[in-house]
Amino acid sequence: MTITTDPSRVALVTGASRGIGRAVAVALGDAGHQVAFIYSADAEGAAVTTAAIEATGAKALSLQADVGDSESVGRAFDAVEGTFGPVELLVNNAGINRDGLIIRMTDEHWRSVLNVDLDGAFHTIRRALPKMMKARFGRIVSVSSVAGHMGGAGQANYSAAKAGLLGLSRSVAREMAPRRITCNVVAPGPIVTAMTEEMPDDWRTRAEAAVPLGRFGTPEECAAVVAFLCTDIAGYVTGALVPVDGGLAMGA
């Protein structure tokens, strides 16, 4: 079987000023796509992401927006369409956490996490679909978490939001299948990020011991899976939950 190179497409990645989002944006740039990305507040991190995308030879567009606000998302899409054209590859990575035991969790902490982590994906998917439907092509990937299907102590809000991404994505996958639009979920386990690097050594030791492969994953390992799901040859994969967790949630 001969695998041909995908045509250059327009990609939009949310939450890409660092970590997994940045790695995804760079991977898509390396695949030859034009890459727009959304960040919420980290302008310095966004500048690093822009430079990393452009280092691949791809065009980059950095956009500050609030994915929890549908009007802000609409303005971001307008900017992408005005610069590159309609979004063909959409990656929902934006997320926040406000951890705490549920008996102490405030309404604000519950709502803010669901607003960004789940509502944000709804807003971008709804905005992207009309033009994907017209083109009869689209790739949508949402980044969930192992916490979405295993649960996490002190993470009721985060786990609920990440679990919701699976139901949202599978509903979209069913609705959009006749239009050749796929919608999938990638669920990372423990990943090396600035946050995990700052955790105490004993915490890292326990976390690594819980993973069958015995180590944390990297943002680039997650990005490789996301980038594959955005390819033309992944056109027969839809409604899937793809773990990138070193075997942590095996069977869950």
Side-chain angles (χ1 to χ4, degrees), residues 65-78 123 126-127:
D66 175 7
V67 296
D69 181 332
S70 61
E71 292 185 359
S72 183
V73 167
R75 290 190 293 271
F77 269 81
D78 289 344
H123 292 151
R126 182 177 62 180
R127 179 60 176 77

Side-chain angles (χ1 to χ4, degrees), residues 13-25 37-40 42 44-50 93-98 192-196 198 219-220:
V13 184
T14 71
S17 62
R18 58 182 179 172
I20 294 172
R22 176 185 292 165
V24 169
F37 69 92
I38 288 174
Y39 70 98
S40 61
D42 185 5
E44 184 176 342
V48 174
T49 300
T50 297
N93 176 70
I96 62 171
N97 62 295
R98 299 286 186 269
V192 176
T193 63
M195 181 181 71
T196 58
E198 294 171 359
E220 290 73 23

Side-chain angles (χ1 to χ4, degrees), residues 20 46 49 58 62-63 72 104 128-129 161-162 170 174 206 217 238:
I20 294 172
T49 300
S62 171
L63 300 160
S72 183
R104 299 192 187 102
L129 279 178
K162 293 302 188 179
R170 285 182 168 166
R174 290 186 183 278
R206 290 195 305 272
T238 195

Side-chain angles (χ1 to χ4, degrees), residues 7-14 16 24-38 53 58-63 76-77 80-81 84-92 128 132 137 139 226-227 230:
S8 176
R9 299 194 184 278
V10 177
L12 175 62
V13 184
T14 71
V24 169
V26 172
L28 292 175
D30 197 47
H33 304 303
Q34 301 174 87
V35 184
F37 69 92
I38 288 174
I53 295 168
K59 294 179 180 178
L61 177 63
S62 171
L63 300 160
F77 269 81
V80 177
E81 291 165 355
F84 292 152
V87 172
E88 299 163 287
L89 315 175
L90 171 63
V91 180
N92 291 304
M132 287 184 176
F137 178 89
R139 297 284 184 267
V226 173
C230 288

